[in-house]
Amino acid sequence: MSDAETPDSDTHSHADHADHEHGVSGPGYTTPAAMRTESGREQTAFVMGLRVGMDVDGPDFVGVVDVDPDSPTYAELIDTVEMPNKGDELHHFGWNACSSSCHAEGMARDHLIVPGQRSSRIHILDASDPRELSIEKVIEPEEVFEHDLSAPHTVHCVPGGKIVISMLGNSDGELPGGFLQLDQEDFSIDGHWETDLGEMEMNYDYWYQPRHNVMISSEWAAPKTYYPGFDLDDVEAGKYGDSIHIWNWETREHEATLTFGEEGLIPLEVRMSHNPEETQGYVGAALSSNVIRFFEEEGGWDWEVVIDLDSRDHPDWDMPVPPLITDLLVSLDDQYLFFANWLHGDVRMYDVSDSANPRLVDRVWAGGNFGDRQEVAGHEIHGAPQMLQLSRDGKRLYWTTSLFSSWDNQFYPEIGEHGSLMLKADVYPDEGRMELDEEFVVDFGDAPGGPARAHEIRWPGGDCTSDVWQ
């Protein structure tokens, strides 16, 4: 039995983890520092392209964007793979294998797992050639519904030859959802990952830290609540989440719930430190517009608000506009935290060297309700900074401007007609600042087959939002 099959084996000491001298090579990097310094500059990006709720009638696709500045097709969409059905609402995606299996012999990071948030259909794409993707297998919704689950969201490869996907609803689109497990070899469905849901009533994103035997999950709402769009009455009725959940990674049992209340309404993306020795991380509470740090202390888990943003008055709104923190990420060296304020229109950079006391060092405005800059290189910005992806060396921050079809159409309806953008800022980590690249823009309004919403970004070879280290 390989190390990957026994992630918490007593024979696999922390000292073993520290140097990762396992004698075999796998699909990822031995440490976050190795990924940051040895992987080389990104050449292409995989980017979700969605047509759900668009004026154009067509299927969603996974696009390949050229991000090599020496290439004649730099900043162009050079390939697209359309899904076989319409209406999937591709959202987040992940790898069949990542750095959590870096020492699992014979494995390769060569397939993308691409779920449809709205259809519950799961696509398996062959990504062995990063410039020429192809669909290898499709898991139809009925196969997912058999396990009383729907609305797949976060995909992580995990040790032991498995893939785990957070599921936001049951087969009727109601609560509570759960976690679906796939086999890494043939991508068949094993069933539920969890053995016990405990107090978990809602689900969204998750992150795991095998060295400390813990997984943290967050909450959005039932698919039937958020699919039609955002309604403040649903918040007042308690239909949106305000908690995160602590799981025993080995026994797959729910252990505790941390409830934030008004300070943590709609806690979305969960990011733990990349250093596998750390037992802390951050979650962005979208509606409360707070960044909450969670941490283990004296054998238990606790939390604190470390960033609290104010709403702003806007002449076109009858209530103060919250920033709405919709995505955040941590650089591979755990020095910087970046997050997007989708309704205000800025992306922020914080120094989190002192993890409990983040320090704002810079921000870029682009689009949104308050951004002064509303176009880049002659392209009007539809939406605002939303899904983020940082280069592995921490020197380029990319983002797209679409959130979710029905929410886009409610807050930025022009996306439905014109599509959204992919933009970039150059980051100077040594100086603690960033600068919008006014030459880089990928306009998904010009996508083959018609305009599309650009959403999550991934690098061939892995990135700071896909990989976990043992």
Side-chain angles (χ1 to χ4, degrees):
M1 183 175 286
S2 71
D3 289 340
E5 292 170 306
T6 56
D8 296 291
S9 164
D10 289 338
T11 61
H12 200 149
S13 70
H14 285 190
D16 291 333
H17 287 296
D19 57 18
H20 252 272
E21 293 296 337
H22 297 278
V24 295
S25 60
Y29 295 87
T30 54
T31 64
M35 174 183 268
R36 181 168 55 88
T37 59
E38 299 171 7
S39 59
R41 179 174 174 139
E42 65 281 2
Q43 301 293 305
T44 54
F46 301 134
V47 185
M48 295 291 200
L50 290 74
R51 294 207 173 90
V52 173
M54 302 288 296
D55 289 356
V56 61
D57 183 32
D60 298 348
F61 61 84
V62 178
V64 180
V65 173
D66 188 336
V67 290
D68 176 4
D70 296 326
S71 168
T73 55
Y74 177 57
E76 293 182 15
L77 196 56
I78 57 175
D79 190 27
T80 59
V81 179
E82 290 193 336
M83 300 301 106
N85 298 275
K86 297 177 183 176
D88 286 313
E89 184 116 26
L90 305 183
H91 195 62
H92 289 202
F93 59 147
W95 289 101
N96 64 313
C98 61
S99 291
S100 71
S101 45
C102 71
H103 53 278
E105 193 168 21
M107 295 183 63
R109 188 201 301 263
D110 55 6
H111 286 82
L112 288 168
I113 316 303
V114 183
Q117 229 294 311
R118 203 174 282 267
S119 70
S120 298
R121 187 175 287 109
I122 301 172
H123 311 83
I124 313 299
L125 270 60
D126 185 337
S128 49
D129 181 346
R131 288 179 177 260
E132 194 169 341
L133 300 173
S134 61
I135 298 175
E136 181 168 307
K137 177 178 178 175
V138 177
I139 301 172
E140 295 296 340
E142 292 74 17
E143 299 174 68
V144 175
F145 298 155
E146 286 180 9
H147 301 275
D148 198 22
L149 293 170
S150 68
H153 190 270
T154 298
V155 179
H156 278 299
C157 88
V158 305
K162 302 299 179 184
I163 298 156
V164 176
I165 307 173
S166 61
M167 309 292 291
L168 276 55
N170 64 16
S171 57
D172 295 322
E174 301 284 3
L175 298 175
F179 298 89
L180 188 72
Q181 179 171 291
L182 306 183
D183 186 86
Q184 250 169 348
E185 293 291 329
D186 61 5
F187 306 109
S188 59
I189 296 177
D190 288 341
H192 283 246
W193 169 83
E194 78 281 3
T195 58
D196 161 35
L197 278 178
E199 298 175 359
M200 193 204 85
E201 296 181 351
M202 301 180 192
N203 204 3
Y204 182 67
D205 191 30
Y206 79 97
W207 197 278
Y208 67 99
Q209 188 64 284
R211 196 173 298 188
H212 299 284
N213 192 31
V214 66
M215 182 179 89
I216 311 288
S217 67
S218 60
E219 298 185 332
W220 192 3
K224 282 190 174 178
T225 298
Y226 65 78
Y227 276 175
F230 178 74
D231 186 338
L232 199 56
D233 289 341
D234 288 334
V235 178
E236 294 172 353
K239 294 183 178 180
Y240 278 95
D242 67 350
S243 304
I244 60 172
H245 302 273
I246 315 298
W247 301 77
N248 185 308
W249 180 246
E250 183 177 5
T251 65
R252 308 178 180 187
E253 296 172 308
H254 181 280
E255 290 194 329
T257 297
L258 303 183
T259 300
F260 307 139
E262 293 291 324
E263 293 189 286
L265 292 172
I266 315 184
L268 295 179
E269 311 304 330
V270 178
R271 312 295 185 201
M272 296 189 77
S273 298
H274 297 289
N275 180 353
E277 288 291 342
E278 295 287 338
T279 52
Q280 68 102 34
Y282 302 96
V283 61
L287 189 58
S288 297
S289 299
N290 288 336
V291 174
I292 293 171
R293 174 178 173 261
F294 54 87
F295 52 94
E296 187 179 34
E297 191 172 74
E298 299 179 350
W301 287 84
D302 206 344
W303 62 278
E304 60 184 347
V305 175
V306 291
I307 300 172
D308 180 4
L309 304 184
D310 294 330
S311 299
R312 293 177 59 173
D313 292 328
H314 190 283
D316 297 333
W317 284 58
D318 57 8
M319 59 175 280
V321 182
L324 207 73
I325 300 172
T326 51
D327 192 22
L328 80 168
L329 61 77
V330 178
S331 60
L332 282 169
D333 60 3
D334 294 328
Q335 183 179 359
Y336 290 110
L337 170 74
F338 298 85
F339 64 81
N341 291 320
W342 191 61
L343 287 182
H344 279 195
D346 60 321
V347 56
R348 294 189 174 207
M349 175 180 180
Y350 281 74
D351 186 333
V352 289
S353 301
D354 180 354
S355 60
N357 296 286
R359 181 171 61 88
L360 176 65
V361 294
D362 207 355
R363 60 177 163 174
V364 167
W365 290 93
N369 288 288
F370 298 96
D372 291 336
R373 184 186 290 106
Q374 292 293 333
E375 69 171 44
V376 175
H379 297 260
E380 187 176 350
I381 302 172
H382 306 297
Q386 210 286 108
M387 289 307 297
L388 308 174
Q389 190 54 265
L390 185 67
S391 63
R392 290 178 289 252
D393 62 7
K395 296 182 178 178
R396 292 164 296 284
L397 180 72
Y398 299 78
W399 65 85
T400 56
T401 60
S402 162
L403 175 61
F404 193 74
S405 62
S406 48
W407 293 42
D408 284 352
N409 292 349
Q410 190 173 356
F411 295 103
Y412 296 110
E414 65 274 17
I415 295 178
E417 180 180 359
H418 301 292
S420 66
L421 302 182
M422 177 180 176
L423 299 171
K424 165 181 169 280
D426 291 316
V427 181
Y428 302 90
D430 292 342
E431 302 171 30
R433 68 180 183 90
M434 58 182 175
E435 199 171 282
L436 185 75
D437 181 347
E438 306 252 10
E439 304 298 320
F440 182 93
V441 57
V442 184
D443 193 337
F444 277 66
D446 299 328
R453 309 173 193 275
H455 197 66
E456 193 173 46
I457 305 166
R458 294 229 170 274
W459 310 129
D463 45 61
C464 63
T465 59
S466 66
D467 283 48
V468 175
W469 281 267
Q470 289 193 64

XYZ file of all heavy atoms in Angstrom, residues 115-179:
491
model
N -17.579 20.067 -13.328
C -18.998 19.876 -13.018
C -19.885 21.005 -13.573
O -19.432 22.133 -13.738
C -19.044 19.902 -11.487
C -17.627 19.953 -11.013
C -16.839 20.517 -12.139
N -21.125 20.677 -13.794
C -22.148 21.677 -14.113
C -22.919 22.003 -12.846
O -23.579 21.134 -12.282
N -22.808 23.241 -12.369
C -23.456 23.612 -11.110
C -24.968 23.460 -11.211
O -25.640 23.005 -10.298
C -23.105 25.069 -10.768
C -22.634 25.283 -9.361
C -23.694 25.028 -8.322
O -24.820 25.539 -8.435
N -23.365 24.238 -7.326
N -25.533 23.851 -12.362
C -26.988 23.862 -12.502
C -27.522 22.523 -13.013
O -28.649 22.147 -12.680
C -27.397 25.011 -13.434
C -28.806 25.501 -13.260
C -29.053 26.733 -14.127
N -28.513 27.954 -13.582
C -29.186 28.815 -12.807
N -30.434 28.552 -12.474
N -28.610 29.923 -12.371
N -26.737 21.808 -13.811
C -27.225 20.547 -14.378
C -26.897 19.344 -13.505
O -27.529 18.293 -13.640
C -26.609 20.337 -15.761
O -25.213 20.056 -15.653
N -25.864 19.456 -12.664
C -25.318 18.325 -11.889
C -24.634 17.301 -12.786
O -24.346 16.191 -12.346
C -26.401 17.638 -11.031
O -26.929 18.529 -10.097
N -24.354 17.645 -14.001
C -23.592 16.779 -14.916
C -22.094 17.004 -14.655
O -21.657 18.141 -14.452
C -23.957 17.137 -16.357
C -23.387 16.214 -17.411
C -23.923 16.588 -18.783
N -25.321 16.210 -18.952
C -26.338 17.068 -19.012
N -26.121 18.374 -18.919
N -27.574 16.635 -19.173
N -21.302 15.931 -14.654
C -19.872 16.037 -14.370
C -19.095 15.558 -15.589
O -19.276 14.423 -16.040
C -19.499 15.215 -13.121
C -20.288 15.716 -11.902
C -17.996 15.305 -12.847
C -20.130 14.849 -10.663
N -18.229 16.441 -16.128
C -17.455 16.129 -17.332
C -16.010 15.815 -16.946
O -15.418 16.506 -16.107
C -17.458 17.319 -18.297
C -18.833 17.888 -18.543
N -19.419 18.787 -17.683
C -19.715 17.668 -19.547
C -20.625 19.114 -18.149
N -20.835 18.449 -19.277
N -15.454 14.810 -17.571
C -14.049 14.464 -17.382
C -13.313 14.822 -18.672
O -13.596 14.256 -19.737
C -13.864 12.959 -17.085
C -14.862 12.495 -16.003
C -12.423 12.689 -16.691
C -14.730 13.186 -14.670
N -12.383 15.782 -18.594
C -11.660 16.236 -19.785
C -10.215 15.741 -19.746
O -9.540 15.842 -18.713
C -11.649 17.767 -19.860
C -12.816 18.425 -20.620
C -14.148 18.083 -19.978
C -12.613 19.931 -20.711
N -9.763 15.222 -20.873
C -8.357 14.850 -21.021
C -7.568 16.139 -21.257
O -7.790 16.835 -22.252
C -8.206 13.885 -22.196
C -6.781 13.360 -22.335
O -5.845 14.024 -21.840
O -6.594 12.290 -22.940
N -6.652 16.455 -20.333
C -5.875 17.697 -20.423
C -4.393 17.398 -20.580
O -3.546 18.233 -20.248
C -6.115 18.547 -19.173
N -4.060 16.210 -21.082
C -2.648 15.850 -21.223
C -1.933 16.772 -22.204
O -0.734 17.007 -22.080
C -2.504 14.387 -21.640
O -3.339 14.078 -22.727
N -2.649 17.282 -23.197
C -2.127 18.348 -24.054
C -2.856 19.629 -23.668
O -4.035 19.799 -23.989
C -2.367 18.032 -25.530
C -1.798 19.117 -26.456
O -1.467 20.210 -25.948
O -1.705 18.866 -27.664
N -2.192 20.552 -22.953
C -2.898 21.732 -22.436
C -3.422 22.685 -23.506
O -4.180 23.595 -23.198
C -1.836 22.413 -21.557
C -0.527 21.923 -22.055
C -0.774 20.535 -22.559
N -3.029 22.500 -24.734
C -3.549 23.353 -25.795
C -4.628 22.647 -26.611
O -5.129 23.184 -27.599
C -2.413 23.798 -26.728
C -1.497 24.826 -26.071
C -0.362 25.243 -26.979
N 0.435 26.272 -26.329
C 0.333 27.581 -26.590
N -0.531 27.992 -27.481
N 1.096 28.444 -25.955
N -4.960 21.410 -26.262
C -5.961 20.674 -27.023
C -6.715 19.748 -26.082
O -6.425 18.561 -25.989
C -5.296 19.887 -28.158
C -6.294 19.370 -29.179
C -5.596 18.835 -30.427
O -4.424 19.182 -30.638
O -6.236 18.082 -31.164
N -7.699 20.308 -25.383
C -8.515 19.532 -24.456
C -9.527 18.680 -25.216
O -9.925 19.019 -26.333
C -9.265 20.480 -23.517
C -8.424 21.419 -22.640
C -9.340 22.395 -21.906
C -7.592 20.626 -21.660
N -9.952 17.592 -24.595
C -11.018 16.785 -25.190
C -11.843 16.148 -24.078
O -11.347 15.897 -22.972
C -10.434 15.693 -26.093
O -9.599 14.817 -25.348
N -13.109 15.907 -24.364
C -14.001 15.284 -23.383
C -13.805 13.778 -23.432
O -13.905 13.164 -24.498
C -15.468 15.644 -23.672
C -15.666 17.161 -23.558
C -16.398 14.912 -22.702
C -17.048 17.629 -23.951
N -13.532 13.187 -22.271
C -13.300 11.739 -22.222
C -14.509 10.989 -21.679
O -14.803 9.886 -22.106
C -12.076 11.444 -21.343
C -11.735 9.969 -21.255
C -10.377 9.740 -20.623
O -9.395 10.353 -21.097
O -10.293 8.967 -19.654
N -15.209 11.610 -20.738
C -16.335 10.908 -20.104
C -17.310 11.934 -19.560
O -16.899 13.033 -19.161
C -15.819 10.011 -18.971
C -16.899 9.287 -18.192
C -16.304 8.379 -17.122
C -17.422 7.694 -16.324
N -16.902 6.706 -15.358
N -18.588 11.577 -19.537
C -19.600 12.432 -18.930
C -20.407 11.594 -17.937
O -20.921 10.526 -18.288
C -20.545 13.032 -19.998
C -21.643 13.853 -19.315
C -19.773 13.895 -20.991
N -20.468 12.066 -16.698
C -21.341 11.453 -15.690
C -22.667 12.204 -15.736
O -22.716 13.413 -15.476
C -20.709 11.545 -14.287
C -19.348 10.835 -14.269
C -21.643 10.965 -13.236
C -18.572 11.031 -12.977
N -23.719 11.518 -16.114
C -25.005 12.180 -16.304
C -25.667 12.501 -14.958
O -25.400 11.830 -13.945
C -25.927 11.296 -17.151
C -25.443 11.090 -18.578
C -25.410 12.399 -19.385
O -26.093 13.373 -18.989
O -24.671 12.439 -20.396
N -26.536 13.505 -14.933
C -27.159 13.918 -13.659
C -27.870 12.785 -12.936
O -27.822 12.709 -11.704
C -28.147 15.006 -14.099
C -27.621 15.517 -15.394
C -26.933 14.376 -16.058
N -28.506 11.907 -13.696
C -29.260 10.828 -13.043
C -28.353 9.958 -12.176
O -28.782 9.428 -11.144
C -29.958 9.956 -14.106
C -31.079 10.666 -14.860
C -30.571 11.678 -15.877
O -29.368 11.604 -16.244
O -31.350 12.563 -16.293
N -27.093 9.793 -12.602
C -26.157 8.987 -11.810
C -25.820 9.688 -10.496
O -25.569 9.040 -9.478
C -24.877 8.733 -12.603
C -25.086 7.974 -13.913
C -23.804 7.897 -14.714
O -22.865 7.209 -14.273
O -23.737 8.549 -15.785
N -25.785 11.021 -10.540
C -25.522 11.799 -9.318
C -26.744 11.789 -8.406
O -26.632 11.600 -7.182
C -25.135 13.253 -9.691
C -24.981 14.106 -8.439
C -23.857 13.259 -10.519
N -27.925 11.960 -8.996
C -29.158 12.013 -8.193
C -29.387 10.701 -7.436
O -30.054 10.692 -6.402
C -30.362 12.305 -9.088
C -30.296 13.647 -9.789
C -30.984 13.851 -10.993
C -29.565 14.694 -9.255
C -30.935 15.072 -11.637
C -29.511 15.930 -9.901
C -30.190 16.125 -11.096
N -28.882 9.595 -7.969
C -29.048 8.308 -7.278
C -28.463 8.347 -5.876
O -28.862 7.552 -5.016
C -28.369 7.189 -8.078
C -29.112 6.762 -9.334
C -28.372 5.656 -10.071
O -27.390 5.130 -9.507
O -28.774 5.344 -11.206
N -27.535 9.278 -5.651
C -26.909 9.398 -4.327
C -27.529 10.541 -3.526
O -26.957 10.979 -2.522
C -25.400 9.595 -4.503
C -24.747 8.461 -5.237
N -24.320 7.321 -4.606
C -24.512 8.274 -6.573
C -23.816 6.480 -5.510
N -23.912 7.040 -6.710
N -28.705 10.998 -3.978
C -29.444 12.077 -3.315
C -28.581 13.332 -3.161
O -28.551 13.969 -2.104
C -29.977 11.625 -1.951
C -31.098 12.539 -1.460
O -31.728 13.221 -2.303
O -31.329 12.598 -0.234
N -27.861 13.671 -4.223
C -27.010 14.857 -4.249
C -27.218 15.614 -5.554
O -27.647 15.035 -6.562
C -25.527 14.461 -4.112
C -25.095 13.858 -2.773
C -23.685 13.290 -2.872
C -25.174 14.893 -1.648
N -26.885 16.906 -5.533
C -26.952 17.742 -6.744
C -26.054 18.955 -6.564
O -25.499 19.176 -5.484
C -28.401 18.216 -6.999
O -28.812 19.119 -5.993
N -25.933 19.742 -7.618
C -25.227 21.033 -7.591
C -23.772 20.899 -7.150
O -23.365 21.423 -6.109
C -25.972 22.034 -6.709
N -22.933 20.208 -7.929
C -21.516 20.050 -7.559
C -20.766 21.377 -7.566
O -21.011 22.227 -8.418
C -20.976 19.101 -8.633
C -21.906 19.243 -9.792
C -23.250 19.555 -9.206
N -19.845 21.524 -6.631
C -19.100 22.788 -6.564
C -17.591 22.557 -6.543
O -16.966 22.411 -7.575
C -19.530 23.620 -5.351
C -18.968 24.997 -5.393
N -17.754 25.325 -4.829
C -19.426 26.120 -5.974
C -17.486 26.589 -5.055
N -18.491 27.113 -5.745
N -16.976 22.453 -5.373
C -15.513 22.404 -5.282
C -14.991 20.991 -5.544
O -15.462 20.028 -4.946
C -15.072 22.866 -3.885
O -15.489 24.217 -3.717
C -13.557 22.769 -3.730
N -13.989 20.906 -6.430
C -13.363 19.626 -6.766
C -11.933 19.626 -6.220
O -11.146 20.514 -6.531
C -13.311 19.420 -8.288
C -12.623 18.097 -8.628
C -14.702 19.484 -8.902
N -11.603 18.656 -5.378
C -10.216 18.465 -4.944
C -9.829 17.006 -5.162
O -10.621 16.096 -4.856
C -10.044 18.762 -3.450
C -9.894 20.215 -3.127
N -8.857 20.986 -3.621
C -10.636 21.035 -2.339
C -8.977 22.228 -3.142
N -10.047 22.286 -2.370
N -8.622 16.783 -5.687
C -8.061 15.446 -5.587
C -7.640 15.264 -4.139
O -7.293 16.233 -3.457
C -6.879 15.288 -6.528
S -5.298 15.780 -5.846
N -7.730 14.032 -3.638
C -7.349 13.764 -2.253
C -6.472 12.519 -2.230
O -6.511 11.699 -3.156
C -8.594 13.579 -1.347
C -9.521 14.774 -1.443
C -9.337 12.301 -1.677
N -5.663 12.361 -1.186
C -4.840 11.151 -1.089
C -5.715 9.898 -1.083
O -6.862 9.931 -0.668
C -4.132 11.327 0.260
C -4.172 12.795 0.534
C -5.448 13.280 -0.066
N -5.140 8.821 -1.549
C -5.876 7.565 -1.545
C -6.541 7.263 -2.876
O -7.408 6.391 -2.952
N -6.180 7.986 -3.934
C -6.717 7.681 -5.253
C -8.148 8.119 -5.458
O -8.886 7.488 -6.224
N -8.557 9.187 -4.797
C -9.947 9.625 -4.895
C -10.057 11.103 -5.263
O -9.101 11.868 -5.150
C -10.674 9.375 -3.564
C -10.655 7.918 -3.119
C -11.342 6.986 -4.099
C -11.289 5.535 -3.649
N -11.882 4.602 -4.632
N -11.247 11.491 -5.681
C -11.608 12.887 -5.957
C -12.872 13.169 -5.152
O -13.804 12.358 -5.169
C -11.900 13.089 -7.459
C -10.646 12.769 -8.294
C -12.408 14.492 -7.734
C -10.956 12.383 -9.722
N -12.892 14.285 -4.436
C -14.056 14.631 -3.613
C -14.641 15.953 -4.105
O -13.907 16.919 -4.341
C -13.678 14.721 -2.119
C -14.864 15.186 -1.286
C -13.187 13.365 -1.618
N -15.958 15.985 -4.279
C -16.662 17.172 -4.785
C -17.717 17.586 -3.765
O -18.549 16.767 -3.362
C -17.357 16.873 -6.130
C -16.362 16.275 -7.137
C -17.998 18.135 -6.686
C -17.021 15.803 -8.429
N -17.694 18.857 -3.347
C -18.760 19.339 -2.470
C -20.032 19.492 -3.286
O -20.012 19.972 -4.419
C -18.372 20.667 -1.812
O -18.155 21.674 -2.778
N -21.147 19.066 -2.702
C -22.445 19.080 -3.388
C -23.391 19.950 -2.568
O -23.542 19.749 -1.361
C -22.988 17.658 -3.509
C -22.004 16.652 -4.103
S -21.641 16.939 -5.856
C -23.196 16.507 -6.619
N -24.050 20.903 -3.220
C -24.785 21.906 -2.456
C -26.239 21.543 -2.180
O -26.903 22.220 -1.397
C -24.693 23.262 -3.167
C -23.420 24.061 -2.836
C -22.147 23.286 -3.109
C -23.408 25.380 -3.570
N -26.739 20.511 -2.829
C -28.132 20.162 -2.577
C -28.366 18.674 -2.623
O -27.482 17.892 -2.985
N -29.604 18.273 -2.228
C -29.994 16.879 -2.431
C -30.543 16.746 -3.853
O -30.481 17.681 -4.651
C -30.995 16.429 -1.360
C -32.325 17.188 -1.432
O -32.628 17.831 -2.446
N -33.090 17.117 -0.379
N -31.078 15.610 -4.188
C -31.499 15.381 -5.572
C -32.648 16.290 -6.000
O -32.913 16.447 -7.191
C -31.892 13.915 -5.770
O -32.915 13.550 -4.860
N -33.334 16.913 -5.032
C -34.414 17.858 -5.352
C -33.946 19.306 -5.298
O -34.759 20.231 -5.423
C -35.579 17.673 -4.356
C -36.239 16.303 -4.494
O -36.371 15.828 -5.641
O -36.614 15.718 -3.464
N -32.650 19.524 -5.099
C -32.144 20.890 -5.011
C -32.412 21.539 -3.674
O -32.290 22.757 -3.517
N -32.759 20.741 -2.699
C -32.981 21.246 -1.340
C -31.771 20.895 -0.478
O -30.866 20.181 -0.897
C -34.254 20.614 -0.750
C -35.515 20.871 -1.549
C -36.060 22.286 -1.380
O -35.417 23.088 -0.677
O -37.118 22.584 -1.963
N -31.796 21.342 0.757
C -30.714 21.061 1.691
C -30.793 19.629 2.201
O -31.874 19.038 2.157
C -30.790 22.053 2.856
C -30.605 23.517 2.462
C -30.829 24.427 3.672
C -29.230 23.760 1.865
N -29.658 19.009 2.648
C -28.405 19.676 2.985
C -27.262 19.473 1.982
O -26.238 20.105 2.136
C -28.032 18.983 4.303
C -28.492 17.565 4.118
C -29.745 17.660 3.260
N -27.347 18.606 1.023
C -26.187 18.311 0.185
C -25.215 17.376 0.886
O -25.594 16.627 1.792
N -23.960 17.414 0.486
C -22.953 16.522 1.070
C -21.688 16.545 0.229
O -21.356 17.580 -0.381
N -21.008 15.417 0.152
C -19.751 15.315 -0.609
C -19.781 14.038 -1.441
O -20.021 12.950 -0.905
C -18.547 15.303 0.334
C -18.413 16.561 1.144
C -19.049 16.677 2.379
C -17.682 17.647 0.666
C -18.950 17.841 3.129
C -17.576 18.809 1.407
C -18.208 18.910 2.636
